[in-house]
Amino acid sequence: MKLLSISFCLFIIVRIHAQNPNAFPVRATIEHGIIEGDYDTKSGIQTYFGIPFAKPPVGSLRWKAPQPLSPWTGIKQTKKFGPRPMQKLIWDDMHSRSNGVSEDCLYLNVWTPAKRNTKDLPVLVYFYGGGFVAGDASEPRYDGESMAKQGIVVVTCNYRLNIFGFFAHPALSAETSYKGSGNYGLMDQAAALKWVNKNIGAFGGDPKKVTIAGESAGSISVSYMMATPLAKNLIAGAIGESGAGINPTLAPVALSEAEKVGVEWAQKASVNSLAKLRSMPARDIYELYEESKRFGFPVVIDHYVLPKTLPEIFSAKEQAQVPLLLGWNSAEIPGQAFMQGQAYTDENYKSKLKSVYPDMFEEALKVYPSGSEQEIERAATALASDRFIAYSTWKWFDLHRNNSNQPVYRYLFSKLRPSTINSAGIVTPQSNTVGAPHACEIEYCMGNLRLIKDFVWIDADHKVSETMFNYFANFIKSGDPNSMGAALTLPEWHRSMPGDPNPAVMIINTESKSVPATEDARYQFLDKTYKNK
């Protein structure tokens, strides 16, 4: 009896702790029924977390396109984040607030500043990164409250990952009308955008003013959503942070190649039928995937989600014709990703460069020059970063500005990381002085420094965040990052014009400024090596 009392008290304590003391219940009527969220009287923001936007993709629906929900009766509680997709959070900067991990993961979250009579607010839909193998719409760095306070309705959504989201197989292709398979995670994103189109008015949003954004695999997702016939007509603007689905960065492969990968995986797993794969518990699929040591499965040219490659789609002007703001960070990955453990000496660097570009060595050395140890580190960092993700983002930028009449804005995020602090309060000075690493801009542009406890934020960080956050908010509202009469005056961000050999780029740092690009010769060199025509 005493143990029962203790357990009951602990249950009450947990329930009280989980509740927002500043909130009262608020309801919204959407397509499939009534949901109940929270109205925070301190922030003025309403939140609805864990809203289902498709049927659970389990059992017979595993590896199928997301299916429409059935209406529900009564009031559905949407006050906590739904479970994140099947995965493990493989990067240290991922901090989930989700309700566990589950194959039943197709949920989204809404933050809205709308009052009882508000309508036609701009909308932001944000896709998380994680290489299509990890990630979660509940992460604090993607939190929508700050943007909502700017008069924007914010949506974050889950989508299937790794083998659950991108597995292709001939037996799966045989089931579909278009005779293709894979790309389920991208279909989930398109389904979320369709949900937004139908339901965002219930939260004060305007379905005709939807801007999509994302970082890394989320940015790659934005590039795919601009290209796919399933979603390109559902968006009014796009923001990409480091990444596009263009070779060599998570670019799509032919269906035959993706199916071959799927067949080989199933054979090594000793599973000889699709029926058996669908009947297996999620645990077994997850463990078999982990044992295979694969880093996800490829995006597919399936002639449904993706009829062609992105360069082919954009060159034909078949993409969403919307304003685009995009960029990358000044040191996406360390130079050692290129040097592979070798010291930054002239001999080592040139030897490595010659081995990678034997027929174009002199040209490569011209755009990624040698020099002192520090200069070689910078050159190696630039080359590693460009090959990893900056070039693909540049190619997306170049394709859209030259195949669209819409404004295009480009940035380079250059703010160095501040010192780190661990759970014991021990501060470690940041050793990387080459540039801004991959993913470090997210909490700045979303206005969420306060939610990220891993760093010792100083005044310079808050200044950079205020600048980048307001640029993004302005763009979401109007398709233009500039102030346009807002209270905060920002440095003018010039458009990147078609055909300009030195297009404008906004350097985002403690002192931000728009300047002509000076290093595009790097990307033009890589463009020849990757042959993305």
Side-chain angles (χ1 to χ4, degrees), residues 174-436:
E175 292 182 337
T176 66
S177 60
Y178 56 93
K179 301 307 175 186
S181 56
N183 291 344
Y184 306 108
L186 298 181
M187 293 185 208
D188 296 341
Q189 295 170 2
L193 290 175
K194 290 177 183 176
W195 183 96
V196 168
N197 182 263
K198 291 181 179 180
N199 294 287
I200 207 65
F203 306 93
D206 185 344
K208 296 179 180 179
K209 297 179 182 177
V210 176
T211 296
I212 57 174
E215 185 274 338
S216 195
S219 181
I220 292 166
S221 298
V222 171
S223 71
Y224 283 135
M225 290 301 104
M226 284 185 69
T228 177
L230 302 184
K232 70 178 186 178
N233 296 320
L234 300 175
I235 62 177
I239 297 174
E241 303 165 49
S242 301
I246 297 172
N247 182 35
T249 309
L250 295 181
V253 303
L255 177 62
S256 58
E257 182 179 340
E259 288 179 336
K260 181 181 178 182
V261 170
V263 168
E264 289 175 351
W265 181 88
Q267 289 175 341
K268 288 181 180 178
S270 300
V271 183
N272 56 15
S273 76
L274 179 57
K276 184 176 180 181
L277 278 170
R278 281 216 173 101
S279 67
M280 293 170 70
R283 168 188 168 170
D284 291 1
I285 300 293
Y286 172 79
E287 289 185 348
L288 287 168
Y289 166 68
E290 287 290 301
E291 290 164 9
S292 73
K293 307 297 183 183
R294 285 197 59 85
F295 186 88
F297 287 79
V299 175
V300 190
I301 300 174
D302 60 358
H303 306 289
Y304 177 62
V305 178
L306 289 174
K308 294 178 284 193
T309 68
L310 294 196
E312 289 171 329
I313 291 170
F314 278 71
S315 294
K317 301 182 180 181
E318 295 168 352
Q319 78 276 24
Q321 295 292 326
V322 298
L324 174 64
L325 184 155
L326 81 175
W328 51 92
N329 297 352
S330 55
E332 293 279 359
I333 56 173
Q336 280 299 321
F338 179 72
M339 296 297 292
Q340 296 181 321
Q342 298 183 50
Y344 291 119
T345 66
D346 181 72
E347 181 182 2
N348 289 343
Y349 177 63
K350 287 180 178 177
S351 175
K352 183 64 179 175
L353 199 63
K354 190 171 289 186
S355 70
V356 176
Y357 301 106
D359 300 324
M360 304 177 74
F361 169 70
E362 295 296 338
E363 189 174 355
L365 188 61
K366 183 177 179 180
V367 293
Y368 299 99
S370 185
S372 67
E373 180 179 336
Q374 185 178 47
E375 289 168 334
I376 292 170
E377 182 180 6
R378 290 187 179 279
T381 299
L383 182 52
S385 298
D386 292 349
R387 286 160 56 90
F388 163 50
I389 213 160
Y391 160 75
S392 68
T393 317
W394 174 88
K395 185 63 176 179
W396 177 21
F397 155 79
D398 200 55
L399 284 165
H400 195 59
R401 73 169 172 132
N402 290 314
N403 294 287
S404 170
N405 59 3
Q406 295 294 314
V408 178
Y409 300 91
R410 172 177 151 190
Y411 72 81
L412 181 69
F413 185 82
S414 299
K415 174 68 178 67
L416 297 178
R417 274 291 201 193
S419 299
T420 60
I421 184 169
N422 64 18
S423 57
I426 298 173
V427 175
T428 303
Q430 182 58 255
S431 59
N432 174 22
T433 59
V434 175

